[in-house]
Amino acid sequence: MTEQGSPLSRGNNLDPWYNHYAQRTSGLAASEVRALFAVASRPEVVSLAGGMPYVAALPEDLVVGAMDRVMREQGPVALQYGSGQGVPALREQILDVMALEGIKASADDVVVTTGSQHALELFSKLFIDPGDVVLAEGPSYVTAMVIFRSYQAEVDHVPMDEHGLIPEALREHIARLKAAGRKVKFLYTVPTFHNPAGVTLSWERRLEILEIAKANDILVLEDNPYGLLYFGSRPPEAMRSVEQDGVVYLGTFSKTLAPGFRVGWALAPHAIREKLILANEAAVLSPSSFSQLVISEYLRDADWKAQIDTFRGVYRERKETMISALEEYLPELTWTNPNGGFYVWLTLPSHLDSKAMLPRAVTELVAYTPGTAFFADGSGAQNIRLSFCYPTPESIRVGVRRLANVINGEQDLLDTFAGTGPLFSSRREANSPNPPTDLR
C-alpha cells in the first residue's frame, strides 16, 4: 500500500516538477484553436479554423522598403532597447488610426505592446485576483478566456444575438453576481465583427452597455482587432469614442498590416496607463524598437489607408464565397453573415456535436474550430466557427463542400443508429438574412 498523499497514490506524472507549479498554472491549457494548427498546416487540409490574416495581399516592397530605410537611417536605435511605453512617433501615428473609429486621445495615454494579446495579458495581470468574475459575451474570444482563467478568474458569459451583447441580460447577470457577493472586475467585449460570432454591437446598445457599466462601477475592456475591416457600410464608432474614463481600448496592427511584427497597443485612462507601462517593463522591458520603427516608417510613407481597403476587398470576396458555398452545400443550416472581420458562426442541429465531429472532419481534410472553444463552461457544441480570411476562394468552396460531407455523414449515422429523424428537419430556412437569435 502507498501512504495517503504520496506521489504514487496520486498516479504518475511525467513532469517531475508537477507539484512545484503555482496554482494559477492550472488555468493554462492549449486552446482548441492552437491545437488545430499542426493538423491544419498540412497542405492537403483546407483550414477554416485559424484566424490568420492573408498577408500575401501586402505588397512586399512596402515592407522591405520600410525596413531598409529604418536600418539605413535609424539602425542603432532600431536595434537597441527602447521605452516601455513605446516609440513616441508611433504612438502619435496610432492616434490617426484610432481617429478612423471616432477616438480622440493623447499619445501620452497610448502604451505599445507586443501585440494586443500582450496588452490583454498585462491588463488581466493588473486587475484580476483569484475568484474575481470577468463578464464576457457568450461566445467569447478563446485566448482571452485562457488568460482570464490563468489568473484564476471565472468567466461569466452574457448572451448575444444578431445585434451583439444583450443589455438586459447584462443587467441580469450583474444583479445575480452582486446578490451572490461576487466581485465583477470588468466587462470584456469584442463589439465589432465579433470573434467568433461575426456580429457587431449596435450603436444604441453600445451606449446602453456603457451606461450599465458606469452605473455598476464596472470597467469595460474593448478589444477591437477587426473594426477597420468592414465590407460595406462603416460599423458604429468605438465605445471608447464616447467614454474615456471607463473604457480601456485595445488595438493591433496584426490584422491591418501583419501579425509577424507583433505590435499592438492599449489606450487607457492616465492611472491605468502608468500601471500598464510598469507591467510592460516588468514583462518584456520594452517592446521591439525595430518592429515599431518599421511600422512607423510604413505609416509615414505608404498609403496605408488604401492598403486597408485592399484587405477589405480580399476578405469581402472570401466571405461572399463562404456564404455562397454554405447556401449551396448546407442550405438547411443557419449562420451569421458578417459585414466585416474574419468569421462566420455556423449553427448545427441540436443533436450534432461539433467537437466530437472534428476528427471525422480532419479525416475528410477540412479543419474548423468547434464552438466549445469559445465558452468557458464547455457549451457551444452546436456551433462551428468558420474562418474565411486565409484560404483562397477556391479552397473555401472545397472546404465547405468537405464540411457538408462530414455533417451529412454524421447525420446519416445518427439517423441509422439513434433515430433522430429526417435530415435537419427542425432547422429554419437557410436564406434568412439574420442569424439565429441564440448564438450558442
Side-chain angles (χ1 to χ4, degrees):
M1 289 182 62
T2 60
E3 184 180 344
Q4 184 66 28
S6 71
L8 286 178
S9 70
R10 295 193 298 271
N12 294 321
N13 193 296
L14 296 178
D15 184 353
W17 301 106
Y18 180 78
N19 293 319
H20 293 253
Y21 292 124
Q23 289 183 357
R24 62 180 172 272
T25 61
S26 62
L28 291 173
S31 72
E32 294 174 47
V33 177
R34 197 181 78 180
L36 283 169
F37 277 124
V39 172
S41 63
R42 289 161 43 192
E44 68 273 21
V45 176
V46 174
S47 176
L48 305 177
M52 296 181 293
Y54 189 67
V55 294
L58 181 67
E60 183 178 313
D61 62 306
L62 291 181
V63 177
V64 173
M67 289 180 175
D68 181 64
R69 288 190 299 275
V70 165
M71 288 307 300
R72 282 190 289 104
E73 300 170 10
Q74 305 181 71
V77 176
L79 300 178
Q80 189 55 271
Y81 293 119
S83 163
Q85 187 172 2
V87 171
L90 179 60
R91 289 190 281 115
E92 290 284 353
Q93 291 165 311
I94 286 171
L95 299 183
D96 296 332
V97 176
M98 293 191 296
L100 298 178
E101 299 192 85
I103 296 174
K104 296 178 181 178
S106 167
D108 288 341
D109 292 329
V110 175
V111 180
V112 179
T113 56
T114 307
S116 62
Q117 184 75 32
H118 182 218
L120 184 56
E121 201 277 339
L122 294 177
F123 180 88
S124 299
K125 183 178 182 179
L126 291 177
F127 279 92
I128 295 176
D129 288 317
D132 285 344
V133 177
V134 174
L135 293 166
E137 294 115 338
S140 187
Y141 172 46
V142 56
T143 313
M145 291 189 294
V146 171
I147 292 173
F148 301 152
R149 289 197 297 264
S150 76
Y151 285 101
Q152 297 170 282
E154 176 186 323
V155 178
D156 187 70
H157 288 298
V158 181
M160 303 171 66
D161 61 18
E162 65 268 29
H163 303 296
L165 188 71
I166 302 171
E168 188 54 41
L170 178 61
R171 287 192 181 91
E172 293 171 359
H173 278 243
I174 293 172
R176 174 176 51 79
L177 290 165
K178 282 189 171 183
R182 304 297 303 279
K183 180 178 286 188
V184 178
K185 274 298 175 71
F186 56 88
L187 166 65
Y188 172 72
T189 179
V190 185
T192 307
F193 312 134
H194 181 268
N195 179 6
V199 301
T200 295
L201 185 65
S202 68
W203 179 246
E204 293 75 19
R205 286 192 180 183
R206 292 180 191 228
L207 297 178
E208 188 174 358
I209 287 167
L210 287 171
E211 289 177 2
I212 294 169
K214 187 173 184 178
N216 289 278
D217 195 28
I218 294 174
L219 189 61
V220 175
L221 182 59
E222 180 180 15
D223 194 359
N224 189 33
Y226 312 101
L228 294 179
L229 297 176
Y230 51 87
F231 303 150
S233 58
R234 287 176 177 266
E237 292 184 339
M239 299 172 80
R240 174 56 177 72
S241 69
V242 292
E243 173 57 50
Q244 297 183 13
D245 295 332
V247 175
V248 173
Y249 176 94
L250 305 185
T252 181
F253 289 105
S254 292
K255 308 302 188 293
T256 56
L257 183 54
F261 286 113
R262 307 308 305 130
V263 175
W265 70 89
L267 174 65
H270 181 80
I272 296 175
R273 177 210 69 186
E274 286 300 301
K275 289 182 172 57
L276 281 171
I277 295 171
L278 294 174
N280 206 14
E281 292 172 342
V284 298
L285 191 59
S286 66
S288 167
S289 297
F290 177 75
S291 290
Q292 291 181 77
L293 288 171
V294 170
I295 291 178
S296 180
E297 186 73 21
Y298 167 80
L299 293 174
R300 189 188 73 177
D301 287 352
D303 189 349
W304 57 271
K305 293 179 183 178
Q307 182 57 45
I308 291 175
D309 195 51
T310 296
F311 281 126
R312 291 186 192 118
V314 168
Y315 298 136
R316 181 190 302 113
E317 179 188 17
R318 284 160 163 72
K319 191 270 297 199
E320 290 173 353
T321 299
M322 177 168 282
I323 297 299
S324 174
L326 289 169
E327 290 172 345
E328 178 177 352
Y329 295 116
L330 289 166
E332 295 84 3
L333 298 190
T334 56
W335 51 82
T336 57
N337 189 349
N339 185 44
F342 285 2
Y343 308 110
V344 167
W345 187 243
L346 182 70
T347 300
L348 301 171
S350 59
H351 49 272
L352 293 185
D353 185 326
S354 60
K355 186 173 182 179
M357 206 167 59
L358 185 56
R360 181 183 183 126
V362 173
T363 301
E364 295 284 343
L365 303 181
V366 62
Y368 60 80
T369 310
T372 50
F374 305 99
F375 288 93
D377 60 4
S379 58
Q382 193 183 352
N383 297 107
I384 288 174
R385 188 191 75 175
L386 299 176
S387 301
F388 52 79
C389 46
Y390 188 75
T392 64
E394 295 77 14
S395 294
I396 288 171
R397 286 193 61 81
V398 171
V400 172
R401 176 171 52 80
R402 291 174 180 174
L403 177 62
N405 290 338
V406 172
I407 293 173
N408 291 331
E410 195 79 2
Q411 181 67 41
D412 288 344
L413 284 174
L414 289 173
D415 287 348
T416 300
F417 295 105
T420 55
L423 179 63
F424 310 141
S425 58
S426 64
R427 303 310 297 160
R428 68 181 66 188
E429 293 183 6
N431 293 328
S432 170
N434 297 319
T437 55
D438 181 1
L439 291 180
R440 284 180 181 241

